[in-house]
Amino acid sequence: MSRLVILGSANADHVMSFEYLPAPGQTLMSKDYRFEHGGKGANQAVACARLCQAGNRIDFICHLGADGIADQMCQSWHDDGIHSDGITKVNGLSTGTAMIFVGANGENSIGVSLGANASMTTEALEKHQTLLAQADWFLVQLETPTTTVAQALKSAKKHGANTLLNPAPATVLGTEIYRWVDIITPNETEAEAITGIEVCDENTARLAAQMLHQLGPETVIITLGSRGAYLSCSEFEGVVAGVDVKPVDTVAAGDTFNGALMVALSENLAMRDAVEFANRAAAIAVTRPGAQRSIPYRHEL
Ligand code: RIB
């Protein structure tokens, strides 16, 4: 049995669909409106829970508001088999909120109000040290305070976990955090934010990956949308091709990729095979609307 621990955000996603994304100063009428369970951390935890084999344990560490949305989310995560020891409802705060615009070709733009996610401080993290110490695999992103992310990575790594950082959304970090990261998984924009290299083809992906290795991570995976992912590790260097699908909504595709990747690695798949598995999971997610709603189950892969 493996213990997979995810630390991160949970958001109430308010989603509107358009023929194209509104430009600055432009008002467009949406074709529809949906309320969804989202947040990068929660999406990744759900992906782990739906894709892992029976017997593994998934823990999610997060802060929610003390509101009805939090209750709905907790019920849904419970139904997916996520353990709730790391979930705290914080009095006086609201659950995080995301406003999401989706264009006709599945692309999106997102604004987030962190709400309770911002209250996951290093002090608040203290009570989750046991979960971090028990983790075999640990995954985190950047919608919680970066000092907490750094502290959690350090703690999990010191206790022997394999650590994954999905540096999303793009954020400038101090260099120390990368020392505690085994596997880093930026998309092209995030890779550019960290390295300054515009990733537009295989050559620039290789250069960005080299720079990311120098910061610390042994394995670099730059996700390339429908083209798949650029993998740079001791056994392989190059593009692992994605699956060709017609995208409907790309929200949570990256989160699905990250959760699936951690599940596959926890089952001892070789790195390239794990990236292929993650590509397939993400490809299914983009063919469906919504965040957690779009994440596939193991039998669908
Ligand atoms: O990665 C997708 C997620 O980003 C959405 O669910 C939204 O909540 C934002 O956090």
Side-chain angles (χ1 to χ4, degrees):
M1 183 194 93
S2 292
R3 290 189 71 145
L4 279 60
V5 177
I6 302 93
L7 165 73
S9 58
N11 295 329
D13 288 355
H14 298 268
V15 188
M16 292 185 209
S17 304
F18 300 92
E19 287 302 325
Y20 55 91
L21 295 178
Q26 186 177 30
T27 300
L28 290 177
M29 300 305 146
S30 168
K31 293 190 289 180
D32 59 13
Y33 163 80
R34 299 188 314 273
F35 166 75
E36 305 271 351
H37 295 175
K40 294 186 190 303
N43 297 344
Q44 294 180 10
V46 168
C48 287
R50 290 188 187 165
L51 292 166
C52 76
Q53 286 172 330
N56 294 317
R57 178 179 161 126
I58 311 299
D59 278 282
F60 180 36
I61 303 174
C62 74
H63 274 187
L64 302 172
D67 47 32
I69 295 167
D71 296 339
Q72 280 180 31
M73 287 178 170
C74 288
Q75 182 59 52
S76 166
W77 299 337
H78 175 265
D79 295 345
D80 274 321
I82 296 171
H83 285 256
S84 60
D85 304 13
I87 300 170
T88 307
K89 293 178 190 166
V90 187
N91 280 329
L93 295 179
S94 316
T95 298
T97 306
M99 309 303 288
I100 303 183
F101 291 171
V102 179
N105 58 2
E107 64 185 342
N108 62 61
S109 60
I110 304 181
V112 174
S113 165
L114 286 177
N117 296 307
S119 70
M120 179 62 84
T121 58
T122 49
E123 293 75 33
L125 185 70
E126 276 310 301
K127 75 171 184 194
H128 302 297
Q129 286 303 330
T130 310
L131 281 180
L132 294 174
Q134 290 169 341
D136 298 306
W137 291 86
F138 176 67
L139 169 63
V140 66
Q141 346 63 38
L142 298 175
E143 279 183 340
T144 38
T146 53
T147 46
T148 308
V149 171
Q151 185 59 40
L153 282 165
K154 184 174 175 180
S155 194
K157 186 79 211 136
K158 272 191 171 166
H159 286 99
N162 300 289
T163 57
L164 289 85
L165 172 64
N166 172 224
T171 308
V172 177
L173 301 166
T175 51
E176 198 190 344
I177 194 168
Y178 299 105
R179 289 171 38 203
W180 312 107
V181 177
D182 295 316
I183 302 168
I184 190 162
T185 61
N187 65 18
E188 291 147 296
T189 313
E190 292 145 8
E192 181 177 352
I194 300 170
T195 64
I197 296 169
E198 186 187 348
V199 177
C200 49
D201 54 21
E202 196 164 340
N203 193 36
T204 47
R206 185 181 324 106
L207 292 174
Q210 280 166 4
M211 200 175 267
L212 288 162
H213 283 306
Q214 280 164 18
L215 291 169
E218 224 175 89
T219 299
V220 175
I221 301 168
I222 303 175
T223 54
L224 306 170
S226 58
R227 285 172 292 142
Y230 187 86
L231 167 62
S232 174
C233 65
S234 53
E235 313 100 63
F236 182 81
E237 170 115 36
V239 173
V240 181
V243 183
D244 197 16
V245 291
K246 188 172 172 359
V248 167
D249 178 348
T250 56
V251 174
D255 301 328
T256 304
F257 180 94
N258 277 277
L261 178 73
M262 185 158 77
V263 165
L265 292 172
S266 75
E267 293 175 11
N268 295 320
L269 260 70
M271 196 58 79
R272 188 179 176 180
D273 296 336
V275 172
E276 250 168 31
F277 179 88
N279 277 343
R280 278 192 284 135
I284 294 177
V286 302
T287 62
R288 302 167 174 172
Q292 281 157 50
R293 202 153 59 97
S294 71
I295 297 171
Y297 292 83
R298 179 72 174 235
H299 66 88
E300 296 180 89
L301 263 77

